[in-house]
């Protein structure tokens, strides 16, 4: 092994990439290992996973408050601060290494990055933003980038009452969390609460409440942003700024992504947005989060770890030393340094802190975490008293620690009181974990753990009592599989859902509609009861839909809002009269995709089975409804010179603005297109069959779907001219086959026919204006000159007879405008497709 260098590797990527799982698998493949997590909750969670794999006798847990270190321990799950770096291990890993840039704790992560190494393998896990600094500060490091396993999609703002089930609402203060949780309890039946101040026991109980689907919503602080894996489909931000312990500031895009990434775990996609009074995310932030693209970190926080314990002033000077390289910067002054600076001004403490061992002891006492965050000097006094007792008495007095823990071991009080007591117990759990400070440390660790468990259970009950109706929760639990008192439930032939003999709602397609008279917690009970009743019904319905013929389905272009689908702007597919899917934009305007309507009653496999069957129906329906369009688009043996034109017509759903190159088509080429139903006109290439009323309605819906907007109303069939509707969006008229001609819109086929006739009549000289033209175009006479000018013709008024002349008056004449070619119709959308782009490259091309 001479000359062997341990391997150092960084595994970087966004959330939900399996980085932590990879690290634990690698560690357990070695004979020994240490992994550091940013939170005690994560250290405990992964300790339990490791124990399940290797057994409790070989796995250790070390955090500030907990130490479980069996004699034969080989694998250690720790918080980053508590990693036992004096132990040698084959494998070492640090999770969330991008926290090196955190102003408060970053210096600890940076120290581990620079100095902590496994004997065989070292692994740093985190975000891609730290890559450049890792490569510069850790020579020889190899970097692996892992892509997210699922997509993260922004869905925009939504009201709190409109958030989908399995949503997490994120706020940044206890007051906000409480207000949102109470609103959800009133409107949606209840929620679980997760905050950083909760103990692991309380946190796990709240998460279980959510994971077991006793509640469908979670309200949390940004504590969910690191490694807490739950079945969250949507993350909604109630605020986009937070107080970071020093000042209010807006969230950075990377922080938004870290939290939003809790949505959609494994291969399941997730969504994120805002709710309540929170302003929407700006487009730049959305793009950064969806694409996982963030500016790289420019500096990491650093604090000197090579400390001088010869004198208290030397220790302070070492802690305040400037960073050695510009890539490192000092962060915020940590509480341990503030405490040391405070105690250094105390003459008694300075007198006791003489010698390396005592000064090291003082520094360790100052590192007792300030979980209570009381804005006075009580924490400094606590650290001073610990130091003085250990120096003078050799240990912390038993009666003092007993009294402190006993005072905190009370389950009365409100939520804030219990959380404050938990913070105090966490301080004493940290102290009790120091066997060199206490007599019978194991006893006091057990006492502190008992106090924490008592407070944790009481806090969990308080949270349920405040944010979940206990009666409703109890009834919901009775609905779970395996419950001792099963509820009788059934579904009638008419879709009515019956539970315990009472109708609770009905099912339309795959959507359950609860009794409209049911509100609040009772509504939640109804939903759970319905899920039980429909557990066997849904698979039967899926099988029935798969086996149904196409006649059982219908495409509804403008569905009316209903209780099952309040917002019904997009075309929908119905089955037995009920909406089961909507259309989404696909690879082209004539190839939309089917999306099965969201229903908690369907699993992923069932959704896919429904999607496949409904997509097959949709494809068949479109081909039958628009046969000429598909025949032209898929015509075999077409000359390359015509493929571009056919592609444009197909993508334009039967209408495409005419380009210069189209006017140069030979008679033989025009004849080929005519055989496919495509006419080459002065204004456009079009298919007359696509202008018929039924085809026009379908084309309008497909155009609006591709454009992401509701389909405007079409004029009644039979009209050949209309005034431009004010609600028609830009490009819609041209796409639907209406030509802008001055103050009117003319139907494309009529405009082309009239234009061709007039152009032929006036090909050599002005020709008489046909007297029936106003009738053919359904126009008033005074509008005709402006309309014809829009078509490329000018009207010469009839000359009056001179005095003394007799006979019929000379008719009005018509002549083409002096321009080479007609422009594309006003408002026409840009031609789509690669052939259209090639056409523009021709000299004089559009």
């Amino acid at each position: 092994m001479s000359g062997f260098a341990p391997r150092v590797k960084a595994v970087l990527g966004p959330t939900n990439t399996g980085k932590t799982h990879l690290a634990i698998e690698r560690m357990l493949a070695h004979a020994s290992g240490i992994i550091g997590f940013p939170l005690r909750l994560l250290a405990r969670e992964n300790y339990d996973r490791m124990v399940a794999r290797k057994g409790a006798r070989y796995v250790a847990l070390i955090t500030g408050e907990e130490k479980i270190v069996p004699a034969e321990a080989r694998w250690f799950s720790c918080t980053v601060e508590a990693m036992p770096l004096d132990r040698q291990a084959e494998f070492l890993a640090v999770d969330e290494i991008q926290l090196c840039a955190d102003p408060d704790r970053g210096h600890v992560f940076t120290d581990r990055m620079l100095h902590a190494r496994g004997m065989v393998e070292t692994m740093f896990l985190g975000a891609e933003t730290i890559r450049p600094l890792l490569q510069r500060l850790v020579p020889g490091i190899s970097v692996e980038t892992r892509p997210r396993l699922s997509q993260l999609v922004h869905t925009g703002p939504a009201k709190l009452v409109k958030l989908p089930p399995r949503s997490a609402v994120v706020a940044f203060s206890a007051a906000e969390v409480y207000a949102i949780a109470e609103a959800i309890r009133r409107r949606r039946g209840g929620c679980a609460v997760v905050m950083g101040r909760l103990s692991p026991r309380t946190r796990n109980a709240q998460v279980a409440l959510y994971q077991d689907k006793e509640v469908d919503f979670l309200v949390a602080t940004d504590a969910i942003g690191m490694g807490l894996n739950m079945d969250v489909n949507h993350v909604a931000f109630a605020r986009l700024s937070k107080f970071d312990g020093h000042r209010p500031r807006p969230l950075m895009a990377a922080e938004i992504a870290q939290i939003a990434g809790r949505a959609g775990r494994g291969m399941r996609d997730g969504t994120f947005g805002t709710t309540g009074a929170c302003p929407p995310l700006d487009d730049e932030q959305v793009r950064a989060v969806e694409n996982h693209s963030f500016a790289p970190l420019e500096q990491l926080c650093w604090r000197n770890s090579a400390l001088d314990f010869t004198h208290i002033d030397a220790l302070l000077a070492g802690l305040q030393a400037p960073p050695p390289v510009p890539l490192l910067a000092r962060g915020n002054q940590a509480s341990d340094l503030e405490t040391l600076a405070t105690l250094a001004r105390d003459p008694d403490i300075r007198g006791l802190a003489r010698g390396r061992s005592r000064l090291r002891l003082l520094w360790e006492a100052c590192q007792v975490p300030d979980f209570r965050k009381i804005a006075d000097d009580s924490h400094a006094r606590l650290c001073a008293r610990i130091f003085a007792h250990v120096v003078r008495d050799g240990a912390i007095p038993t009666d003092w620690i007993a009294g402190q823990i006993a005072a905190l071991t009370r389950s009365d009080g409100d939520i804030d009181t219990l959380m404050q007591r938990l913070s105090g117990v966490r301080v004493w759990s940290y102290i009790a974990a120091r066997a060199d400070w206490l007599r019978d440390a194991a006893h006091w660790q057990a006492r502190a753990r008992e106090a924490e468990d008592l407070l944790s259970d009481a806090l969990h009950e308080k949270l349920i009592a405040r944010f979940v109706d206990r009666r409703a929760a109890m009834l919901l639990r009775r609905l779970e599989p395996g419950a001792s008192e099963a509820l009788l439930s059934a579904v009638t032939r008419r879709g009515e859902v019956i539970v315990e003999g009472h109708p609770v709602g009905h099912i339309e397609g795959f959507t359950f509609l609860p009794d409209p008279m049911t509100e609040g917690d009772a509504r939640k009970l109804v939903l759970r009861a319905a899920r039980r009743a429909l557990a066997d019904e849904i698979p039967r319905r899926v099988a029935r839909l798969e086996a149904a013929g196409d006649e059982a389905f219908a495409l509804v272009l403008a569905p009316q809002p209903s209780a099952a689908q309040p917002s019904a702007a997009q075309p929908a597919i119905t089955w037995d009269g009920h909406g089961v899917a909507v259309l989404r934009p696909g690879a082209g305007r004539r190839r939309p995709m089917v999306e099965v309507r969201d229903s908690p009653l369907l699993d992923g496999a069932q959704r896919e089975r429904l999607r496949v069957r409904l997509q097959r129906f949709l494809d068949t329906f479109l081909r039958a409804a628009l046969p000429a369009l598909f025949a032209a688009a898929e015509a075999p043996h077409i000359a390359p010179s015509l493929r571009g034109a056919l592609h444009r017509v197909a993508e334009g759903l039967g209408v495409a603005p005419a380009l210069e190159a189209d006017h140069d088509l030979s008679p033989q080429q025009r004849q080929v297109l005519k055989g496919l139903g495509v006419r080459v006109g002065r204004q456009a290439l079009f298919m007359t069959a696509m202008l018929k009323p039924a085809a026009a309605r379908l084309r309008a819906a497909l155009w609006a779907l591709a454009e992401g907007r509701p389909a405007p109303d079409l004029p009644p069939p039979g009209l050949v001219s209309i005034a431009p509707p004010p609600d028609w969006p830009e490009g819609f008229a041209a796409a639907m086959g209406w030509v802008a001609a001055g103050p009117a819109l003319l139907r494309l086929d009529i405009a082309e026919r009239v234009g061709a006739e007039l152009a032929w009549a006036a090909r050599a000289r002005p020709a008489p204006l046909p007297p029936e033209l106003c009738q053919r175009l359904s126009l008033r006479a005074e509008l005709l000159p402006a309309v014809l000018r829009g078509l490329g013709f000018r009207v010469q008024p009839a000359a009056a007879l001179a005095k003394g002349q007799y006979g019929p008056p000379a008719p009005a004449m018509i002549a083409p405008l002096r321009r080479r070619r007609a422009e594309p119709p006003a408002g026409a959308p840009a031609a789509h497709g690669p052939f259209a782009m090639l056409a523009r490259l021709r000299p004089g091309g559009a």
Side-chain angles (χ1 to χ4, degrees):
M1 299 292 287
S2 177
F4 172 78
R7 178 186 180 204
V8 181
K9 180 178 183 180
V11 181
L12 307 178
T15 56
N16 191 28
T17 55
K19 300 186 295 292
T20 304
H21 175 76
L22 171 67
I24 290 178
E25 290 296 314
R26 291 294 305 152
M27 180 173 75
L28 297 182
H30 287 279
S32 60
I34 300 170
I35 185 167
F37 295 99
L39 298 175
R40 176 193 178 194
L41 299 172
L42 295 179
R44 181 78 205 200
E45 181 180 286
N46 287 287
Y47 165 78
D48 293 336
R49 290 171 57 193
M50 292 157 61
V51 166
R53 290 277 304 275
K54 294 295 186 179
R57 62 186 293 189
Y58 299 117
V59 181
L61 171 67
I62 303 179
T63 69
E65 300 100 293
E66 288 185 280
K67 283 186 174 58
I68 304 174
V69 186
E72 300 179 71
R74 294 162 56 189
W75 297 282
F76 291 75
S77 180
C78 318
T79 52
V80 173
E81 286 86 348
M83 294 173 71
L85 301 180
D86 55 337
R87 284 180 174 266
Q88 288 193 332
E90 288 190 2
F91 178 90
L92 183 142
V94 178
D95 195 15
E96 306 292 356
I97 195 64
Q98 77 277 2
L99 288 180
C100 287
D102 182 75
D104 295 313
R105 300 173 62 203
H107 64 276
V108 180
F109 285 79
T110 301
D111 182 71
R112 304 299 184 260
M113 180 194 74
L114 295 175
H115 305 300
R117 296 292 182 270
M119 293 188 296
V120 177
E121 184 177 2
T122 301
M123 186 177 288
F124 299 123
L125 318 171
E128 184 72 21
T129 53
I130 199 173
R131 174 198 284 262
L133 294 181
L134 273 178
Q135 292 175 324
R136 295 180 66 179
L137 293 171
V138 184
I141 190 171
S142 63
V143 179
E144 174 188 336
T145 299
R146 294 172 72 90
R148 183 177 164 92
L149 300 176
S150 61
Q151 296 297 312
L152 193 57
V153 180
H154 179 245
T155 57
K159 293 181 179 179
L160 201 60
V161 295
K162 298 293 186 181
L163 289 177
R166 315 313 291 167
S167 289
V169 182
V170 181
F172 294 94
S173 71
E176 283 182 310
V177 168
Y178 297 161
I180 293 168
E182 286 175 340
I184 290 177
R185 180 187 186 276
R186 290 193 303 270
R187 303 291 185 87
R188 313 297 293 270
C191 64
V193 172
V194 172
M195 295 187 288
R197 295 172 63 194
L198 300 185
S199 66
R201 188 181 181 98
T202 306
R203 189 288 311 250
N204 291 341
Q206 287 289 303
V207 168
L209 189 71
Y210 175 83
Q211 290 291 86
D212 294 343
K213 298 187 178 179
E214 294 188 49
V215 293
D216 266 336
F217 297 90
L218 177 75
V219 181
T221 62
D222 53 349
I224 70 167
M226 289 188 184
L228 300 184
N229 298 323
M230 293 171 287
D231 296 331
V232 174
N233 294 339
H234 179 76
V235 170
F237 290 85
R239 185 180 291 274
L240 294 175
S241 62
K242 72 173 186 176
F243 181 76
D244 63 6
H246 301 273
R247 60 191 176 279
R249 63 169 179 83
L251 294 176
M252 295 181 290
E255 292 174 313
I256 294 172
Q258 184 76 29
I259 298 168
R262 296 304 105 194
R265 308 304 293 168
M267 302 302 293
R268 188 183 71 250
D269 293 343
T271 59
F272 67 100
T274 57
T275 190
C278 182
L281 290 159
D282 64 49
D283 293 341
E284 185 175 347
Q285 288 175 317
V286 170
R287 285 193 297 271
V289 174
E290 288 186 333
N291 299 324
H292 316 298
S293 176
F294 310 104
L297 297 174
E298 297 178 356
Q299 283 186 316
L300 304 182
C301 294
W302 176 88
R303 189 172 75 180
N304 182 24
S305 60
L307 303 178
D308 183 354
F309 289 99
T310 58
H311 191 273
I312 193 169
D313 294 330
L315 176 58
L316 281 168
L319 289 166
Q320 296 171 333
V325 294
L327 299 178
L328 304 176
R330 292 179 60 185
N332 297 327
Q333 186 154 306
S335 64
D336 54 2
L337 180 53
E338 290 181 345
T339 302
L340 179 63
T342 299
L343 298 186
R345 295 192 291 269
D346 187 329
D348 293 338
I349 296 297
R350 292 181 73 93
L352 287 175
R354 292 178 179 171
R356 290 179 178 273
S357 60
R358 287 191 177 183
L359 193 51
R360 190 180 296 274
L361 174 62
L362 175 63
W363 177 230
E364 291 172 352
C366 292
Q367 290 180 297
V368 173
D370 183 14
F371 294 123
R372 297 175 297 173
K373 305 293 184 185
I374 301 174
D376 58 20
D377 63 348
S378 59
H379 184 69
R381 292 200 308 270
L382 172 67
C383 296
R385 187 169 179 182
I386 291 171
F387 171 68
H389 278 307
V390 176
V391 169
R392 290 173 177 151
D393 306 327
I396 296 172
T398 300
D399 57 348
W400 182 41
I401 189 172
Q404 294 293 320
I405 293 178
L408 295 168
T409 311
R410 294 170 46 197
S411 60
D412 60 310
D414 59 14
I415 290 173
D416 288 328
T417 300
L418 292 173
M419 285 203 292
Q420 190 62 29
R421 287 188 195 135
L422 265 173
S423 298
V425 168
R426 290 182 66 191
V427 173
W428 287 103
S429 296
Y430 182 93
I431 296 168
R434 292 298 303 259
D436 53 338
W437 291 358
L438 297 167
R439 299 182 181 91
D440 196 5
H443 168 75
W444 296 113
Q445 289 172 21
R447 287 284 304 276
R449 193 175 304 116
E450 289 171 5
E452 182 175 312
D453 290 348
L454 174 71
L455 291 168
S456 298
D457 293 342
L459 179 58
H460 176 59
E461 292 300 325
K462 291 283 186 183
L463 291 170
I464 287 181
R466 183 167 175 181
F467 303 125
V468 179
D469 187 297
R470 272 192 173 279
R471 180 181 61 86
M474 181 272 294
L475 292 174
L476 291 170
R477 284 195 293 272
R478 287 179 56 196
L479 296 170
E480 293 293 338
S484 58
E485 298 181 53
L487 297 179
L488 299 176
S489 58
V491 181
T492 69
R493 290 181 178 273
R494 294 175 300 174
E496 192 173 27
V497 182
I498 308 296
V499 176
E500 290 289 319
H502 300 282
V504 296
H506 62 283
I507 185 169
E508 293 185 356
F510 298 93
T511 302
F512 173 71
L513 302 176
D515 184 344
M517 300 302 294
T518 306
E519 296 180 352
D521 296 332
R523 186 181 182 88
K524 184 69 176 177
L525 172 62
V526 162
L527 292 173
R528 295 301 299 271
R531 289 172 186 167
R532 170 67 63 83
L534 298 171
D536 296 326
E537 174 69 10
I538 292 301
R540 286 195 293 267
R541 286 182 170 238
V542 171
R544 280 177 49 209
L545 185 146
E546 280 188 303
D550 285 351
E551 65 278 1
F553 307 108
L555 178 62
V556 182
L557 300 181
Q560 295 298 314
S562 65
Q565 192 72 8
S567 176
Q570 290 163 310
I573 297 176
T574 63
W575 173 54
D576 289 346
H578 300 305
V580 291
V582 296
L583 271 56
R584 299 292 187 202
R589 288 180 175 171
R590 60 189 171 88
R591 292 184 291 272
M593 297 188 303
V594 169
E595 180 180 285
V596 177
R597 280 182 172 167
D598 187 33
S599 170
L601 305 175
L602 294 169
D603 60 29
Q606 290 169 333
R607 285 179 199 278
E608 180 60 16
R609 289 166 60 190
L610 296 178
R611 188 199 66 77
V612 169
R613 177 64 186 96
L614 295 173
Q615 187 71 55
R616 190 164 69 247
F617 157 74
L618 177 63
D619 294 343
T620 303
F621 177 88
L622 293 178
R623 287 180 175 276
L626 307 173
L629 181 66
F630 282 88
E634 299 168 1
H637 313 304
I638 294 297
S641 58
L642 295 180
R643 288 176 186 164
L646 283 176
H647 176 79
R648 287 164 37 227
V649 171
E651 288 305 303
L653 299 174
V655 176
L659 302 178
E660 291 289 345
D662 298 331
H663 298 294
D664 297 332
L665 293 173
S666 66
Q668 293 80 5
Q669 291 173 317
R670 291 170 183 257
Q671 193 63 30
V672 171
L673 292 176
K674 184 177 180 181
L676 296 172
V678 179
R679 288 188 56 187
V680 181
R682 294 158 53 87
Q683 306 284 345
L685 278 66
F686 65 98
M687 304 182 74
T688 305
M690 296 299 100
L691 304 181
K692 296 184 181 298
R697 287 194 299 272
L698 179 55
R699 291 173 56 246
L702 295 177
W703 183 91
L705 178 70
E707 295 294 320
R709 63 176 76 217
D713 293 331
L714 292 175
L719 295 184
V720 297
S721 66
I722 59 173
D727 61 335
W728 279 15
E730 182 180 359
F732 181 71
M736 292 300 103
W738 292 89
V739 177
L745 294 178
L746 301 182
R747 206 174 74 197
L748 176 59
D749 55 341
I750 301 299
E752 290 287 5
R753 187 180 308 147
V754 169
E757 292 172 0
L758 295 179
W760 176 258
R763 65 189 182 280
R765 63 183 62 84
L769 182 67
E772 75 283 0
L773 201 54
C774 286
Q775 183 179 357
R776 288 183 65 186
L777 299 179
S778 297
L779 292 171
R780 298 195 307 271
E782 63 269 21
L783 297 179
L784 187 61
V787 169
L788 291 178
R789 178 168 287 274
L791 292 180
F793 299 94
R794 56 189 174 88
V795 175
Q796 299 174 353
L801 293 175
K803 187 175 181 179
Q805 289 184 333
Y806 301 95
M813 307 297 285
I814 190 165
L817 292 174
R818 292 188 178 90
R819 62 186 184 193
R820 182 168 171 266
R821 291 255 166 87
E823 298 293 331
H832 298 283
F835 297 104
M837 296 302 295
L838 289 173
R840 294 192 184 99
L841 299 178
R842 293 170 54 92

